[in-house]
Amino acid sequence: MKRPQNIAVLGATGSIGLSTLDVAARHPLRFRIFALSANERIDELAGLCQLHKPRYAVVARAAQADALRARIGEGATEILVGAPGLEQIASHPETDCVMAAIVGAAGLVPTLAAARAGKKILLANKEALVMAGPIFMEAVRANGATLLPVDSEHNAIFQCLPGSWSGDFAGNGVRRVVLTASGGPFRETSLAQLKSVSPEEACTHPNWVMGRKISVDSATMMNKALEIIEAHWLFGAAAEQIEVLIHPQSVVHSMVEYADGSVIAQLGNPDMRTPIAHALAYPERIEAGVGSLDLSRLGKLDFSEPDFERFPALRLGYRALAEGGTSPATLNAANEIAVGAFLDRRLPFPGITMVIESVMNEMPSLPSATLADVLNADAAARHCAAHHVGSMAARA
Ligand code: NAD
Ligand code: MG
């Protein structure tokens, strides 16, 4: 019998990380938790280490390594620190599969390390691909890595496209891909009301329990903007081949339309364990702990067009894709700063997209040929965004 696959979970204490561990633990003969990482929640990481007994655990700082050691003792788990630790577990010769579930730009370098080491990558960390699409896809290609989408929409599209997809829309008779979007907690909130929504309201998603950053992204619909760019790189889809459709129930996870008029959709309960299990076991199917979809109980599924006026983030996503170069990295970095400021109550909700647009207007889109180009653009955009947050706060 084959030995279990060694899984490294980057961002193990997060929403996706914990769901990954839940699915993997249902199949101990298939998967072994080889490495875990966490940024802040050391107590939770200690618990996960005791449960899964990974070979490695990665923490952000030396002091946390001491705290974790005190909790789990000298045992089966070696503790590594910081970015070098993340790169080490992502590219370790015994790692078979990397779940990229760190949130934001912090996930880029370790996920790229996994691509360069030719690993099977389960990509939840969409920001990495948004920032460095061409570099990332080339690293996957050149090193024989396998990239499997975990984002529910992209996982759905992957399931609806023909097998061995190479990005040839015309040759495969594919007309377009349709990304569904729940519309978030403010789907029906007026522009006037959006000015006073709180971080707590923004983080209460109608269908999904997620980390705070992606919850705010769902509320602004920047999440969908990032997903448009993600779909471009994953599937080779041009901007005009990517459509966004509001679907409040989050049951149709996305669709592919073919030249003959057929539309193939993937449906399921809104539970990230489904796409995680699909990617973990691909091309096989395994139990994920997700119950059957009861369409008769749901009764109906609704669809409508997105409102680009209340949700200008969508427009910014298409703009960054059209500009190319460092523009998506600029968009992403400005968003991370603006979302952080909103969560800290230093910026009103509509200020998030205003800051991003100002940063995009100021920062030129440069060619992003190397990782250094991307990281420079990221740093410059953060600086510029922080400045805009400050001047907006001063005016308020
Ligand atoms: P989360 O906030 O719940 O978890 C984030 C994880 O990343 C934690 O383990 C944290 O310790 C780690 N982390 C945060 N900052 C870090 C840093 N600077 N260095 C190293 N590690 C760091 O987030 P989440 O909801 O699990 O989302 C993770 C990723 O998956 C995001 O890119 C998100 O867009 C994507 N995603 C999430 C969902 C979902 O349902 N939660 C769905 C689709 C895609
Ligand atoms: Mg998604």
Side-chain angles (χ1 to χ4, degrees):
M1 209 181 88
K2 281 194 299 186
R3 69 162 173 81
Q5 281 185 55
N6 280 335
I7 315 283
V9 185
L10 310 181
T13 52
S15 159
I16 294 290
L18 292 172
S19 291
T20 304
L21 295 173
D22 178 287
V23 175
R26 292 166 192 272
H27 305 277
L29 298 179
R30 278 179 186 265
F31 308 115
R32 168 177 172 226
I33 303 307
F34 183 68
L36 298 173
S37 91
N39 198 40
E40 295 293 343
R41 300 185 192 150
I42 299 307
D43 283 350
E44 283 180 36
L45 181 63
L48 296 176
C49 287
Q50 277 151 351
L51 189 62
H52 298 285
K53 308 213 177 337
R55 173 93 67 85
Y56 298 101
V58 184
V59 295
R61 296 180 296 280
Q64 295 171 322
D66 297 338
L68 183 62
R69 170 69 58 227
R71 287 286 312 272
I72 65 173
E74 301 292 338
T77 302
E78 186 178 331
I79 302 174
L80 308 173
V81 179
L86 291 174
E87 284 185 63
Q88 188 177 331
I89 61 169
S91 60
H92 193 287
E94 288 179 55
T95 296
D96 298 304
C97 169
V98 175
M99 166 52 85
I102 289 176
V103 60
L108 172 58
V109 170
T111 308
L112 198 54
R116 288 178 174 155
K119 301 300 184 192
K120 176 165 121 180
I121 302 168
L122 278 42
L123 186 75
N125 180 209
K126 65 194 87 182
E127 296 92 341
L129 192 56
V130 166
M131 292 172 73
I135 297 166
F136 198 88
M137 295 311 288
E138 175 55 20
V140 167
R141 195 202 55 78
N143 298 287
T146 305
L147 187 58
L148 295 167
V150 168
D151 212 349
S152 57
E153 298 77 1
H154 304 74
N155 182 270
I157 290 169
F158 182 72
Q159 294 194 44
C160 298
L161 283 170
S164 68
W165 177 251
S166 64
D168 180 4
F169 272 64
N172 285 285
V174 176
R175 230 183 238 165
R176 57 177 187 150
V177 299
V178 181
L179 293 171
T180 53
S182 71
F186 306 138
R187 182 170 50 87
E188 297 191 314
T189 309
S190 71
L191 257 182
Q193 287 171 312
L194 283 176
K195 289 187 180 136
S196 54
V197 297
S198 68
E200 291 71 29
E201 289 169 299
C203 288
T204 311
H205 195 278
N207 306 331
W208 307 93
V209 179
M210 309 182 286
R212 280 162 70 78
K213 190 261 179 185
I214 185 177
S215 295
V216 177
D217 285 350
S218 298
T220 57
M221 292 200 70
M222 181 52 80
N223 183 48
K224 214 49 54 180
L226 298 176
E227 290 184 357
I228 290 165
I229 302 171
E230 183 184 16
H232 168 74
W233 291 115
L234 283 174
F235 306 119
E240 60 277 11
Q241 292 167 320
I242 307 169
E243 201 159 304
V244 173
L245 188 64
I246 302 294
H247 167 46
Q249 291 91 354
S250 299
V251 165
V252 175
H253 296 306
S254 277
M255 313 182 232
V256 174
E257 184 187 313
Y258 286 83
D260 60 7
S262 296
V263 177
I264 301 187
Q266 187 258 352
L267 283 71
N269 286 321
D271 187 324
M272 286 307 293
R273 291 177 301 176
T274 296
I276 289 168
H278 175 266
L280 271 172
Y282 181 79
E284 293 174 48
R285 297 277 182 171
I286 57 171
E287 176 65 46
V290 180
S292 296
L293 176 63
D294 186 346
L295 283 172
S296 66
R297 199 177 54 80
L298 266 163
K300 64 174 185 145
L301 300 174
D302 297 303
F303 300 93
S304 61
E305 298 222 317
D307 180 345
F308 282 68
E309 210 173 309
R310 281 184 306 132
F311 300 103
L314 285 173
R315 185 168 44 76
L316 297 178
Y318 281 112
R319 172 178 161 187
L321 184 54
E323 287 178 1
T326 51
S327 212
T330 299
L331 169 93
N332 178 68
N335 182 53
E336 288 191 25
I337 294 297
V339 169
F342 169 70
L343 287 171
D344 291 347
R345 298 174 207 280
R346 287 183 286 119
L347 192 67
F349 184 79
I352 298 173
T353 41
M354 286 162 73
V355 165
I356 299 165
E357 184 153 30
S358 301
V359 173
M360 288 180 76
N361 290 344
E362 264 170 58
M363 308 259 315
S365 176
L366 304 169
S368 64
T370 66
L371 183 60
D373 297 334
V374 172
L375 296 177
N376 286 338
D378 174 87
R382 279 168 201 272
H383 186 77
C384 183
H387 171 78
H388 280 284
V389 168
S391 49
M392 240 181 237
R395 263 183 278 138

